[in-house]
Amino acid sequence: MNVHTLLAILVAALLLAPPAALSQAASDDASEREIERYRAMIGDPMANPGYLNVDRGETLWSTARGGRNVSLERCDLGEGPGKLEAAYGKLPRYFADADRVMDLEQRLLWCMDKLQGFDATELLKRPFSSTGRFSEMEDLVAFIANKSNGMKIQPQIAHPKELEALAAGEAIFFRRSGTMDFSCATCHAEDGKRIRLQVLPPLHEPGQQARDTMGSWPTYRVSQSATRTMQHRLWDCYRQMRMPAPDYASDGLTALTLYLMNNAAGGTIQVPSIKR
């Protein structure tokens, strides 16, 4: 068989065979459609277990506890003491009384300490829920975030410390490190990426995917049978990148969250959502 005949056979085979990229794209589209169909089946609030967290969080918010035996109802999340509506979409933000930029979980811990005299030592040892054990922080975040449903993400970028945190968050997003030399941008700075069946939305710049993503946390994770907050999502990302686990409610995670929320400005909050 001469070279010209061999080339003709190879060209014919390539023309007749379905392109691998198109075949994979069709498979990906079909998988995504099935995932969306599943979400629609359990999308009714009455079928979303995340609303159990909302109910527990409401009780925690109004229950008198701690050394001062008071509730969290006077906690100021940025809109005034006890005012919850629209607060979640403006966090993280600068709080003058603490002289820090805080996300919701940091602020709640501050209020527990300063208002309630609550010792959160044990809570901080295991801030995330596990089999047979609820998380007070997940419950409180679900309740408070749900109060902003239908409202917009409105990043607060005016105070010098907010600007400083935003710059730090961007640097953290793009910083490569760890044994795998990964960064947040490795997975979330390019269209069309996925891990197995999971689409990886680009979050490195303003856009609809960033708005949809950030507007849907906290969420009930079906694969984990638990409601998870953005703190857990970021902690789990670092775990999967084989990096040291970040401290819960750390300033670094708050800065990264502010960067992501800034890219999601204008997005609509719909929580708790439900995800794979």
Side-chain angles (χ1 to χ4, degrees):
M1 184 181 295
N2 60 39
V3 173
H4 295 294
T5 302
L6 180 59
L7 285 173
I9 292 172
L10 289 172
V11 170
L14 289 171
L15 290 173
L16 292 173
L22 293 177
S23 178
Q24 182 62 48
S27 175
D28 290 347
D29 288 344
S31 297
E32 193 63 27
R33 284 197 300 272
E34 287 303 305
I35 292 171
E36 288 303 319
R37 190 167 70 89
Y38 170 70
R39 287 175 178 152
M41 289 169 59
I42 56 178
D44 188 291
M46 296 302 293
N48 184 347
Y51 278 85
L52 297 175
N53 297 84
V54 173
D55 291 343
R56 290 194 297 267
E58 182 174 16
T59 299
L60 285 169
W61 178 258
S62 59
T63 298
R65 301 193 302 167
R68 298 185 178 90
N69 195 36
V70 298
S71 73
L72 286 168
E73 291 170 306
R74 297 298 296 168
C75 180
D76 185 354
L77 300 178
E79 297 300 290
K83 295 182 179 179
L84 303 182
E85 286 75 10
Y88 184 66
K90 298 178 183 178
L91 292 167
R93 68 187 298 171
Y94 175 76
F95 290 91
D97 53 8
D99 193 28
R100 291 174 64 191
V101 174
M102 297 175 166
D103 76 344
L104 178 53
E105 283 155 277
Q106 278 184 316
R107 186 61 178 175
L108 284 171
L109 289 170
W110 189 91
C111 286
M112 288 176 177
D113 177 31
K114 304 301 182 185
L115 296 180
Q116 293 182 301
F118 182 84
D119 184 358
T121 302
E122 292 302 314
L123 184 154
L124 290 174
K125 287 179 180 178
R126 296 189 299 175
F128 308 128
S129 61
S130 59
T131 303
R133 185 182 62 80
F134 298 133
S135 161
E136 292 186 5
M137 299 307 293
E138 288 170 355
D139 292 345
L140 283 165
V141 170
F143 165 65
I144 293 165
N146 179 251
K147 286 292 186 180
S148 293
N149 261 7
M151 300 178 187
K152 299 297 183 181
I153 295 173
Q154 303 175 59
Q156 304 299 292
I157 310 293
H159 191 276
K161 290 199 174 183
E162 290 169 343
L163 293 169
E164 181 183 10
L166 178 63
E170 182 176 12
I172 291 170
F173 184 88
F174 287 100
R175 179 181 174 81
R176 301 176 71 101
S177 56
T179 59
M180 307 294 288
D181 193 32
F182 272 22
S183 69
C184 302
T186 303
C187 291
H188 293 287
E190 185 180 335
D191 286 325
K193 283 194 171 183
R194 67 168 66 223
I195 294 177
R196 298 181 296 276
L197 296 179
Q198 185 67 35
V199 174
L200 298 172
L203 303 175
H204 65 300
E205 60 185 10
Q208 191 59 47
Q209 291 190 76
R211 292 190 286 270
D212 290 344
T213 298
M214 299 307 292
S216 63
W217 288 84
T219 188
Y220 181 78
R221 298 294 303 272
V222 175
S223 58
Q224 300 178 21
S225 299
T227 294
R228 299 306 193 190
T229 67
M230 182 52 60
Q231 281 269 347
H232 183 276
R233 174 66 273 177
L234 296 177
W235 171 86
D236 201 33
C237 282
Y238 276 95
R239 179 189 65 82
Q240 292 180 70
M241 289 191 288
R242 308 300 189 266
M243 292 189 190
D247 291 340
Y248 180 74
S250 65
D251 290 336
L253 289 187
T254 293
L256 181 54
T257 301
L258 180 60
Y259 170 72
L260 295 173
M261 291 293 272
N262 190 54
N263 287 343
T268 302
I269 298 168
Q270 294 293 347
V271 297
S273 66
I274 192 161
K275 297 181 186 289
R276 179 189 60 81

